[in-house]
Structure formats: structure tokens, C-alpha cells
Amino acid sequence: MARSVKEHMPGTRIVVGVMEDTLPDDLWKCSYFDEVIQLNNVLRFPNLSKFWFQYDEQEAKNACKAPLMSYIYDKYVDEQSFVYLESNTKVFSPLTEIAAISQRHPIIIAGCQTNSDFMEWDWRMEAGKANVYSTSMLALSRHSEARRFLTWWAKISERHSGNEFSYMDLTPIYFDDVYTLRHPGYGIEHRNLVERWNIAQPSAGSYTVNGKPLRCIHFTPELASAAGWLDENKAQLYSQIYQRYALEVTNAAKSAATANPWSYGSFASGEPIAKAAKQAFRDNYYDNPAIENPFRLSNAFFHIEESPHHRPSSLPDYQPSPRKSARKKNRLKAGSRKTASSFKRRTSKSLVYAR
């Protein structure tokens, strides 16, 4: 991701936050990073052992966004605009709309789905449990309302990172002058391909989505499966993009840093921490003063015996998925016709650029 940002916006500063107990040596060799910080050095929570223990890797990444943004906001006082991007995002063209909008609005958040023509009740019910606004990217400008937003967001992060999406949906209610980004070229992911299916390549290396320039894609394994639901020519373009990105992730994963297990995924004994143990600790033991360092415990302490489930750390090769249902397939294709007619790097969990 950092390389794509520097390629399309060379004047930016890139700050990477690392969720490990030590900084891997090879991070300093990356010429695309302007600063690499160990997040333990900027977190202001009372007990960092408890903070890390309660979350799995994804939840911890969510919880570290606000502290990382606050650190950059406070340090780089000469900067006026700040953008958070997930580490598994790739930029395909300059984010010109963000630069223009941030001059007028202190907080910019991106809607997951923004086209009412594609809204369905089954998705809306699912979104009610997940998110309406995407947190894979957001932008702030230097403004008192943005500072107030960061303070509020950080409070959520200490104990409620698992509910980050639902809290983020309250942002337009709690804060003034929040801009909802509806540009179809931003924040493409598996949940919004149903409305952003119309991808085209007018020239080599240049793409459009629904007639607008493609700005960035948030890559997840689910994206490959979702692309398999599209019409063949559109699916082919998305699969080519996915394959190229997967190759970049594979090459990056050859470094020693990405091969190491996450620092906070195991007890001090080396026993992997079950997700249920993390949940039990967060719900029932976090405020217990008798437990100073939960990493010294075990799954048995929480009456949990099963092994935790670990998802693959790298993106799989693109494989068109079997159609999950004829209804889903027909809905997507019908939507396409209707509109046409009218990997991550484990040690690099967060990236923010400022300009």
C-alpha cells in the first residue's frame, strides 16, 4: 500500500503503526515509510497487557486506529489533512476528491453502500449488525471538531473495538459537518461490489468504476469470492487486479517479519489464546485488579479447551467461488443490466499519510 501511495501522491508522508512488542528490523529498510512507530509507545491506556489480551488481531487493529491518528495529528502540526488507510488497501490514482473535500469538512467517512437502487433488506439487516460506514479509510482535517472526534474514538477503542462499526455509524449524529463520501471509486470491497460491479479499463493501468476513476480497493479474501458473482468480463478485470495484488503480498510475506506469529496471540507459555478466552476476559475479567497480566494465564483458566481458529495471514489465489445461491447470482446480474441500461503485512497494521 505504501508504494502505491508514494507512486500516485509522491508528496505525502507515510506513517506506519506496528502492533508488535518489538519492531522488526526489516521495516527500517522500506524506503516508502517516512516513520515507523511501535504502537505501545503511543497508546495511553492504563494497562497495555489487558488492552492487547482482550482483542484478536483484527479487533486490535481497529482499536489502534484512533491512537495512531491522534499521534500523527498532534506531531505533524504543519499538516492540514490526514488520511487513514488499512494496510491491505491499494491506491490506484490520486485521492483528489479527499484533498478538496477536506478543505471544507473536518471529518470524511465513506459509506459502505451508497446507491439506494441496490439496497436490499437482507443486506440492511446484516449491515445493522456490521456497519453502514466503512472504517478501512477515513480522512480528517485540522479542526476542533476533528480533535473532538479523535478523543471520542479513542475512548471507544480501549474496550469496545469489536463494536467499532456500529459506533462509527453514530459519527454524523455526534459531530458537526461530517461528510459522507459516496464516490464509487473509493473503498471498494466485497460488501459493495453489488453496486460497484461496472469496472472498466480505458487505458493500461487506468480503471474506472461506474464511470468514475478507481481510487482505492480494500483487499480481503472475500473480495475474490464476491467478484465471482459478477458478469464474466467484469469479474475478469477484478480478478486480474486481485491476482496482481496477491502476488505483491506473497513477495512481501517472504520477509522474516511477516513470518513471525503475532506478539499478542499467545500466552507467555506459548499456548495460542482462544478467541473465546479473549472474549471472556473482556466481558468478565478486564476490571479485575487481581489480574495484572492475563498473558500469564491459560485457556484453562477461562474453562476453554478448544484450540483457537486462525485465519490465513495472506491472501489466497483468486478462485471464482461456487454460486452461493441462484437468487444471489440473478440479483447481481440483473443489477448489472439495470445500471448499464439507464494481504496483508502482519507487522504493518495501519498506515496514515498526511499532506
Side-chain angles (χ1 to χ4, degrees):
M1 176 180 60
R3 179 171 60 187
S4 68
V5 172
K6 289 290 191 179
E7 176 184 350
H8 295 289
M9 295 172 290
T12 61
R13 289 173 174 171
I14 295 180
V15 180
V16 178
V18 180
M19 298 195 317
E20 300 289 344
D21 55 7
T22 59
L23 285 177
D25 292 336
D26 66 337
L27 281 182
W28 302 108
K29 301 176 183 178
C30 182
S31 60
Y32 303 113
F33 301 158
D34 293 285
E35 183 180 6
V36 178
I37 63 169
Q38 186 179 0
L39 286 166
N40 271 341
N41 295 331
V42 301
L43 295 176
R44 297 294 178 259
F45 304 127
N47 187 314
L48 290 184
S49 293
K50 289 186 174 184
F51 169 78
W52 289 118
F53 185 89
Q54 68 178 324
Y55 290 135
D56 63 25
E57 210 172 337
Q58 178 60 46
E59 292 168 341
K61 180 170 67 173
N62 292 339
C64 289
K65 294 176 184 178
L68 177 63
M69 288 288 283
S70 295
Y71 166 81
I72 295 170
Y73 190 93
D74 293 337
K75 177 177 180 177
Y76 294 95
V77 295
D78 58 322
E79 300 289 357
Q80 299 300 313
S81 180
F82 308 83
V83 178
Y84 174 87
L85 295 174
E86 292 277 10
S87 59
N88 52 340
T89 299
K90 182 174 181 179
V91 173
F92 290 83
S93 59
L95 310 185
T96 54
E97 292 79 11
I98 293 288
I101 296 169
S102 64
Q103 295 180 11
R104 306 186 304 274
H105 301 273
I107 304 169
I108 303 173
I109 53 179
C112 183
Q113 285 196 3
T114 59
N115 189 333
S116 60
D117 291 339
F118 289 90
M119 197 278 285
E120 284 194 345
W121 282 111
D122 56 351
W123 176 85
R124 187 63 191 88
M125 293 299 291
E126 180 182 349
K129 300 176 182 178
N131 63 309
V132 173
Y133 290 101
S134 171
T135 56
S136 63
M137 68 162 292
L138 61 84
L140 303 174
S141 59
R142 191 165 293 283
H143 190 278
S144 59
E145 199 71 354
R147 177 71 268 181
R148 195 167 72 89
F149 167 79
L150 283 173
T151 302
W152 169 79
W153 192 14
K155 289 180 180 178
I156 295 172
S157 300
E158 182 183 2
R159 294 292 302 277
H160 305 289
S161 181
N163 298 321
E164 178 197 42
F165 290 140
S166 58
Y167 278 95
M168 194 60 63
D169 291 346
L170 298 174
T171 302
I173 300 174
Y174 290 164
F175 301 95
D176 293 330
D177 208 11
V178 176
Y179 185 90
T180 298
L181 186 64
R182 297 182 177 86
H183 190 295
Y186 284 85
I188 294 174
E189 56 183 59
H190 69 281
R191 285 172 293 204
N192 56 32
L193 273 189
V194 64
E195 66 175 28
R196 304 183 192 190
W197 61 272
N198 191 17
I199 186 171
Q201 186 176 16
S203 60
S206 175
Y207 298 91
T208 62
V209 176
N210 296 353
K212 300 287 187 178
L214 171 60
R215 300 304 189 197
C216 59
I217 296 179
H218 181 212
F219 287 91
T220 62
E222 293 84 2
L223 180 66
S225 300
W229 298 329
L230 303 178
D231 288 332
E232 184 175 357
N233 60 332
K234 305 300 182 182
Q236 182 67 21
L237 276 177
Y238 271 119
S239 68
Q240 290 173 358
I241 292 173
Y242 186 96
Q243 285 279 27
R244 283 194 290 269
Y245 179 78
L247 180 61
E248 294 176 7
V249 171
T250 299
N251 292 335
K254 294 177 181 178
S255 69
T258 53
N260 294 332
W262 186 42
S263 299
Y264 307 107
S266 301
F267 291 98
S269 64
E271 176 188 5
I273 304 172
K275 183 174 177 61
K278 289 179 173 288
Q279 182 69 51
F281 175 80
R282 182 164 67 239
D283 293 343
N284 305 310
Y285 296 92
Y286 192 96
D287 294 318
N288 187 339
I291 301 178
E292 182 66 20
N293 186 351
F295 287 98
R296 297 174 182 172
L297 305 176
S298 67
N299 288 318
F301 177 88
F302 302 99
H303 307 289
I304 296 168
E305 299 180 356
E306 67 270 18
S307 298
H309 174 67
H310 294 287
R311 295 184 60 182
S313 59
S314 60
L315 292 168
D317 290 338
Y318 172 82
Q319 295 292 341
S321 66
R323 277 24 177 194
K324 292 186 177 181
S325 68
R327 185 184 65 81
K328 181 80 173 181
K329 174 183 176 182
N330 292 336
R331 175 170 64 85
L332 285 161
K333 290 185 176 294
S336 300
R337 289 192 295 270
K338 176 181 178 181
T339 304
S341 62
S342 7
F343 313 43
K344 69 182 177 181
R345 180 176 174 86
R346 170 162 287 164
T347 57
S348 177
K349 290 298 171 190
S350 308
L351 184 148
V352 178
Y353 76 78
R355 65 180 311 183

